[in-house]
Amino acid sequence: DKMGVSAVSLALRSATTPHMLLGGNKALISDSPGVADPGTHRFKFNGKGPELEEGELFLACAGVGKVKTLPADNLGTLPFLHLPLTNITTAGKEGSPGATKLIVPPALGKARAFQTTGLDPWSGHTFVLRAEFVEALAQDTGADGRSGSGFLAP
């Protein structure tokens, strides 16, 4: 559910303050075509996202990517994105999977610090993102320096 939103964003950020974008990348954008929006957004980081190490903590930040007032929107209402919440016991535990906080990026041209609610803004609840992260395989090179094909020959 959303109002005044024409695209949803997803950014991977450092878990430590000041929560910089990982790998210096920009947030990915998924268009949200008004009332025809299916409610599911897919973000493909293929070659665009940071490389994450096993066990590396990060924030997956969903947000408003672009705003556009639609005819059905109430005039004067701020754009919003409504995400369903689910119970989680680690929402308030810094450094734990599921640790949750709200961060608000600074306006363009303003200070680089984020405003934050601190941990556990929804009292033991968080929103859920379903994600699949695929491990990039190291390139296998032979003694001659050429890449291996991955097949064994008799």
Side-chain angles (χ1 to χ4, degrees), residues 15-107:
T16 58
T17 304
H19 309 298
M20 301 301 291
L21 284 166
L22 292 177
N25 294 291
K26 295 180 180 180
L28 295 178
I29 301 294
S30 174
D31 288 333
S32 184
V35 295
D37 186 344
T40 299
H41 293 272
R42 295 182 186 268
F43 302 90
K44 296 192 180 200
F45 284 92
N46 301 5
K48 300 176 196 167
E51 289 188 17
L52 301 170
E53 297 297 324
E54 182 178 345
E56 181 177 351
L57 297 177
F58 62 92
L59 300 176
C61 301
V64 174
K66 295 179 191 172
V67 295
K68 178 182 179 182
T69 303
L70 299 173
D73 294 342
N74 296 328
L75 293 177
T77 301
L78 291 174
F80 71 86
L81 182 63
H82 173 237
L83 300 169
L85 298 178
T86 189
N87 243 351
I88 188 164
T89 59
T90 57
K93 296 180 182 174
E94 185 78 43
S96 295
T100 302
K101 64 174 82 172
L102 292 174
I103 60 174
V104 179

Side-chain angles (χ1 to χ4, degrees), residues 85 91-92 98-103 116-127:
L85 298 178
T100 302
K101 64 174 82 172
L102 292 174
I103 60 174
T116 179
T117 60
L119 288 168
D120 202 12
W122 295 300
S123 303
H125 293 79
T126 192
F127 64 92

